[in-house]
Amino acid sequence: MSSTKPIRRVAIIGTGVIGASWAALFLANGLEVVATDIAPNAEPALKRFVEAAWPALKRLGLAPGASQSKLTFTADPLAAVKGADLVQENGPERIDFKKKLYGQLDEALPPDVIITSSSSGLTMSEIQSGCGAHPERCVIGLPFNPPYLMPLVEIVGGAKTSEETIQRVTDFYTAMGKKPVRLHKELPGHVANRLQSALSREVYYLVAEGVVSAADADTALSWGPGLRWGVMGSLLLNHLGGGEGGIEHFFQQFTGPMTAWWKVLGQPELTPEVQKKLIDSVHSEVGSRSIDELAAERDEMLLGLIELRARVENAPATSNKAVA
């Protein structure tokens, strides 16, 4: 496959939360979107989602030509992908389903059409084994929820994915305002979900053991390290934590205590009893707030942080020299 063809038309397969969010993002970037899903009432649900997401996307900045009217829907997957320049697949996490689907897409699509998957649990090597002709154009493009707001996308090739495909899809997602991360090895859960799972394991342990309530665990995270993680990643913060000596001094000072903590981290078993304790503690934290209210609160703060980071990253460099 060799192509510099611009991507103007995207097919979305599966319009649940992730697929609908991708659709909203692509529309906001001025693309044509054809979506497909066999679920009952999928089309009106998708259009409601896009309409609800539009004010946030407008606030972040719509591309020229961005319009909800560029969204069309069909229940026929092969009709949806006809004429598409890229396919974003968001189907069930079942390898038998995906292998069959990718075989059908591989037969139906020209070789220069990229097929990306939002799969978080399956490897592309498994998925693309269903393609008999052009497995090299298949790649994982895993977003972080909700994709229309969260910039992260993890790009993972399979054993047969070409470097050209990796580069094309990286350029595409970057043009959509995403922050791509390239994984050089396939791992279950990829990167962000593994990081999240490692932290969640310790949170579950601390609450289950009665060390803290769910509310206090969430406060410790969101007003402690989580507040910093919204600005810089863990390793860069380690570099700052080392003071003038940077990351080198950080390891000199903290390797001993840090590795000692690793040895006593929790290994909770999510038994029904532990789950009930966690659930009860979370509901106590939530109180009378609805899921929609919590989501709106989350999204408003995410928008503010994204806007702030964009202003800082796009600001002209300033000199540290004192003005005479």
Side-chain angles (χ1 to χ4, degrees):
M1 177 182 70
S2 180
S3 176
T4 56
K5 180 182 176 182
I7 296 171
R8 296 194 176 98
R9 184 183 178 94
V10 176
I12 301 285
I13 299 178
T15 59
V17 173
I18 299 299
S21 199
W22 274 126
L25 178 71
F26 295 148
L27 290 167
N29 279 276
L31 302 181
E32 295 179 36
V33 175
V34 184
T36 182
D37 197 308
I38 60 171
N41 301 313
E43 181 176 4
L46 170 62
K47 290 181 177 178
R48 284 194 301 270
F49 184 99
V50 171
E51 185 176 1
W54 207 250
L57 290 163
K58 188 175 182 180
R59 178 171 159 181
L60 292 174
L62 299 176
S67 173
Q68 296 178 59
S69 66
K70 289 185 176 180
L71 173 64
T72 56
F73 186 94
T74 174
D76 182 352
L78 295 182
V81 301
K82 187 176 182 180
D85 303 310
L86 178 140
V87 176
Q88 184 79 45
E89 174 269 318
N90 314 279
E93 291 284 279
R94 299 200 318 266
I95 190 58
D96 56 338
F97 170 86
K98 288 195 189 287
K99 285 174 67 174
K100 181 179 179 181
L101 174 62
Y102 276 63
Q104 293 170 336
L105 295 175
D106 194 38
E107 291 179 5
L109 293 166
D112 61 348
V113 177
I114 296 174
I115 309 173
T116 65
S117 176
S118 299
S119 176
S120 60
L122 301 173
T123 66
M124 181 44 65
S125 290
E126 291 179 291
I127 296 170
Q128 70 187 175
S129 66
C131 299
H134 295 286
E136 73 280 355
R137 41 89 168 270
C138 300
V139 63
I140 284 181
L142 174 66
F144 219 55
N145 195 37
Y148 74 94
L149 286 183
M150 297 293 282
L152 176 66
V153 60
E154 296 179 85
I155 297 173
V156 198
K160 297 180 179 179
T161 304
S162 70
E163 281 299 315
E164 182 185 353
T165 295
I166 296 287
Q167 189 58 56
R168 284 185 66 203
V169 81
T170 299
D171 292 345
F172 169 70
Y173 285 135
T174 301
M176 296 296 104
K178 306 296 277 183
K179 295 286 186 181
V181 170
R182 164 81 185 274
L183 277 65
H184 298 278
K185 293 182 179 180
E186 294 180 295
L187 286 172
H190 311 309
V191 168
N193 280 330
R194 289 174 70 94
L195 294 173
Q196 192 168 246
S197 293
L199 186 57
S200 292
R201 184 179 70 179
E202 187 63 15
V203 168
Y204 298 157
Y205 173 76
L206 293 171
V207 175
E209 290 295 307
V211 178
V212 285
S213 65
D216 283 344
D218 283 345
T219 296
L221 273 181
S222 62
W223 287 100
L227 197 61
R228 296 189 301 195
W229 291 333
V231 178
M232 292 180 181
S234 178
L235 289 169
L236 198 54
L237 287 167
N238 289 165
H239 186 54
L240 288 177
E244 291 297 323
I247 189 71
E248 295 87 352
H249 185 63
F250 176 86
F251 282 132
Q252 289 170 10
Q253 290 289 102
F254 298 112
T255 291
M258 189 166 52
T259 54
W261 297 335
W262 289 351
K263 295 174 184 177
V264 294
L265 290 175
Q267 296 281 352
E269 291 187 30
L270 290 179
T271 62
E273 294 76 20
V274 168
Q275 290 183 44
K276 185 178 187 308
K277 188 168 185 178
L278 292 167
I279 289 166
D280 289 345
S281 196
V282 168
H283 280 297
S284 177
E285 178 184 8
V286 168
S288 62
R289 293 175 294 175
S290 69
I291 293 290
D292 287 344
E293 288 170 334
L294 287 168
E297 181 181 323
R298 175 202 65 190
D299 291 353
E300 178 61 28
M301 286 191 279
L302 281 175
L303 280 165
L305 181 56
I306 291 167
E307 290 169 333
L308 175 61
R309 290 193 63 161
R311 286 200 300 272
V312 171
E313 291 173 4
N314 295 329
T318 56
S319 172
N320 290 324
K321 294 181 180 178
V323 178

